[in-house]
Amino acid sequence: MKKAYFPDIFRNSLVMGTFILTVTGFVSRIIGFFNRIFISHAFGEEAMGIFQLVAPVLAFTFSLCCAGIQTAISKYVASEPHTHDYRTSMKYLRVSIIVSLSLSCLTGIFVYRFSDMIATGFLFEPRTAPLLRILAVSFPFSAIHSCINGYYYGIKNAKVPALLQLCEQIVRVGSVYFLYYLLLERNYQPDITLAAVGIAAGELCSLLLSLTFIFTRFYRFETTGTKIDSVMLGKNSYRNVFRHIMVMAVPLSANRIIVNLLQSVEAIYIPEKLRQYGMSTSDALSTYGVLTGMALSLILFPCAITNSLGVLLLPVVSEAEAANQNGKIAAAIKKSITYCSLLGIVCTMFFLFFGKTAGILLFKSELAGSFICGLSFICPFLYITSTLGSILHGLGRTFTTFLINIGALFIRILSVFFLVPKIGINGYIAGLLLSQVFSALVCTLCLNKYRQY
């Protein structure tokens, strides 16, 4: 009887959704690879390091304005395909967009106004200030389309988020290429700020497309007179909807914010500790850029599969828990661990034996190849943690995932502060491996009770 549970979970919308997100994820990552290769060739490894330094600010902004709200939407609209209560779904989406948009506008104004202070006092690199000002403009765009994506993830319609992701990446990369060669033709010297312009252009494209899709969807329901479950109407006032979203989104966002702050400390201090190790500022930024912008991007490439599965597992596991279908949850856990382990082992062997060749061919960097080989061992643990973390979120155990993330981050931060000054960047790579082993083991132990089903 146990084997029968798995097909019920992974067939139809989940399998198709995972397939769609995986395909578009791979295509987007391939496009992104070309962009990273282009940036590294056009602007150099040091410029890549400068660009990577603004990533903590982007991650913090997303956590504050979007992450918890997006997850809350997915959870609360998950029943729409069964109840046909589209009006309540619209309420959740409207409230979420208003809250997220308000937060993103305030955050964008703050980052734009104090970009110089953030660049020098927080990122320790004044050259990041122009990038921050450009990215601040894109925060509201990201907030709106993230909420709409959360809605589509919740109703298990992965086609729209997949299309948005693909179009955003195409516009992002295409705009960088176009502007780079346009400036060269006009005898201007392009700089790394073009990468930030590309991000803003991609977010704007995703915003326009997502609004088109969501307006079309709800307009069709209103004009065709789609039947709506009358029992559900009236029980979800805007006040109740706001309360429901905040109850879930606030602790989840708070967890993500704390995690991102610690990740910021981790990322920002890597170049600083490399300087203490004996590197010049230019070499430290170049090493940081090669590691995070080149080597890790290749290691994370297969996460297109595990991330897609994880996003779609969340509402499925949530529904299974509400229906007390522990067998379905157990099947999801077992299959996730099995397939993620297999994927991780295959990727480890590939990166270990072909990592140096990949670094030279893709990035024209022997250092990138060396990093790829060293990072190869994290693959199985990284992929397992990705899917099991989503299952824990679907079960409502957001605080558990928070503690796991904090534990892993402390391991990496300790490696930055105590190992990197002594043995260089290899100390950080060792910390990365240890943190991923820790996360995978703890996630598995937290779900151990489902082994009996």
Side-chain angles (χ1 to χ4, degrees):
M1 294 295 294
K2 292 183 179 180
K3 293 182 179 180
Y5 290 131
F6 179 73
D8 290 339
I9 296 180
F10 284 84
R11 66 188 178 187
N12 299 336
S13 60
L14 183 56
V15 169
M16 183 56 66
T18 303
F19 175 76
I20 292 171
L21 286 178
T22 299
V23 170
T24 55
F26 269 120
V27 174
S28 296
R29 285 176 185 269
I30 291 172
I31 297 172
F33 264 126
F34 283 108
N35 190 41
R36 287 178 182 273
I37 293 169
F38 175 77
I39 289 175
S40 65
H41 293 172
F43 306 116
E45 294 177 349
E46 183 179 2
M48 175 71 82
I50 293 171
F51 179 63
Q52 290 296 119
L53 279 175
V54 302
V57 178
L58 285 175
F60 176 83
T61 303
F62 182 80
S63 298
L64 175 64
C65 306
C66 312
I69 296 173
Q70 184 185 62
T71 303
I73 296 173
S74 294
K75 182 177 179 64
Y76 287 115
V77 305
S79 61
E80 180 193 296
H82 307 293
T83 64
H84 304 292
D85 188 7
Y86 302 109
R87 290 183 183 172
T88 296
S89 295
M90 281 194 288
K91 287 182 179 180
Y92 276 105
L93 186 57
R94 286 170 185 156
V95 172
S96 299
I97 288 177
I98 291 172
V99 174
S100 186
L101 182 60
S102 301
L103 289 172
S104 65
C105 288
L106 292 173
T107 306
I109 293 171
F110 177 84
V111 171
Y112 191 94
R113 176 66 179 82
F114 298 101
S115 57
D116 291 321
M117 183 184 71
I118 296 171
T120 55
F122 181 63
L123 301 179
F124 305 128
E125 180 50 66
R127 288 174 289 180
T128 59
L131 282 73
L132 292 174
R133 286 191 286 270
I134 295 170
L135 293 173
V137 178
S138 70
F139 293 167
F141 307 155
S142 177
I144 296 174
H145 79 72
S146 294
C147 291
I148 295 173
N149 279 349
Y151 166 79
Y152 279 105
Y153 286 137
I155 63 172
K156 306 178 192 66
N157 181 355
K159 296 177 183 178
V160 172
L163 179 61
L164 295 177
Q165 178 187 6
L166 188 59
C167 292
E168 177 183 341
Q169 188 74 313
I170 292 172
V171 171
R172 175 185 299 183
V173 176
S175 61
V176 173
Y177 275 77
F178 173 77
L179 292 174
Y180 178 82
Y181 288 109
L182 179 65
L183 290 174
L184 284 181
E185 288 180 0
R186 300 190 176 185
N187 298 319
Y188 290 101
Q189 182 57 46
D191 57 31
I192 194 62
T193 55
L194 286 184
V197 173
I199 291 177
E203 295 287 359
L204 178 59
C205 172
S206 191
L207 166 67
L208 297 176
L209 286 175
S210 62
L211 288 175
T212 300
F213 279 112
I214 202 67
F215 283 142
T216 301
R217 177 177 176 82
F218 287 124
Y219 178 77
R220 185 173 68 251
F221 290 146
E222 292 292 335
T223 56
T224 57
T226 303
K227 182 179 178 181
I228 300 174
D229 190 348
S230 59
V231 176
M232 298 296 295
L233 294 179
K235 289 190 174 182
N236 291 298
S237 64
Y238 280 107
R239 178 179 296 179
N240 288 336
V241 167
F242 176 78
R243 181 173 58 84
H244 291 160
I245 291 174
M246 290 298 102
V247 165
M248 183 173 184
V250 169
L252 185 57
S253 295
N255 293 347
R256 289 285 296 269
I257 289 170
I258 294 173
V259 168
N260 283 132
L261 285 175
L262 292 175
Q263 287 175 336
S264 299
V265 172
E266 172 193 2
I268 292 165
Y269 275 93
I270 292 175
E272 179 66 23
K273 296 303 174 181
L274 286 173
R275 284 191 285 266
Q276 291 184 15
Y277 176 64
M279 288 186 173
S280 65
T281 298
S282 178
D283 288 341
L285 285 171
S286 296
T287 301
Y288 175 69
V290 171
L291 176 66
T292 59
M294 300 179 190
L296 270 175
S297 64
L298 184 59
I299 294 292
L300 296 174
F301 190 92
C303 284
I305 298 174
T306 57
N307 289 346
S308 301
L309 181 60
V311 167
L312 292 162
L313 270 174
L314 191 151
V316 172
V317 170
S318 180
E319 287 183 7
E321 184 194 30
N324 199 29
Q325 296 174 322
N326 292 325
K328 290 185 176 182
I329 299 173
I333 294 169
K334 292 174 184 176
K335 294 298 182 180
S336 296
I337 292 175
T338 300
Y339 291 130
C340 288
S341 297
L342 290 174
L343 175 65
I345 292 171
V346 170
C347 291
T348 295
M349 300 302 293
F350 177 81
F351 292 138
L352 184 61
F353 290 107
F354 301 103
K356 290 186 177 180
T357 303
I360 294 172
L361 289 178
L362 293 174
F363 303 108
K364 297 182 180 180
S365 172
E366 292 184 5
L367 184 60
S370 177
F371 288 159
I372 291 167
C373 293
L375 292 167
S376 63
F377 296 101
I378 74 172
C379 292
F381 311 105
L382 176 66
Y383 305 153
I384 289 172
T385 301
S386 176
T387 52
L388 294 189
S390 292
I391 291 175
L392 286 170
H393 278 156
L395 295 172
R397 299 180 64 177
T398 54
F399 188 67
T400 299
T401 58
F402 167 71
L403 292 178
I404 294 171
N405 289 331
I406 291 295
L409 272 169
F410 270 117
I411 292 173
R412 298 202 297 273
I413 290 173
L414 288 174
S415 73
V416 171
F417 279 87
F418 295 102
L419 294 182
V420 173
K422 294 181 179 180
I423 61 176
I425 198 65
N426 288 329
Y428 178 66
I429 293 175
L432 269 177
L433 175 59
L434 184 59
S435 69
Q436 290 301 328
V437 172
F438 167 82
S439 297
L441 288 177
V442 176
C443 282
T444 304
L445 290 174
C446 289
L447 296 168
N448 190 52
K449 74 172 187 177
Y450 292 99
R451 289 182 59 187
Q452 60 182 304
Y453 295 101

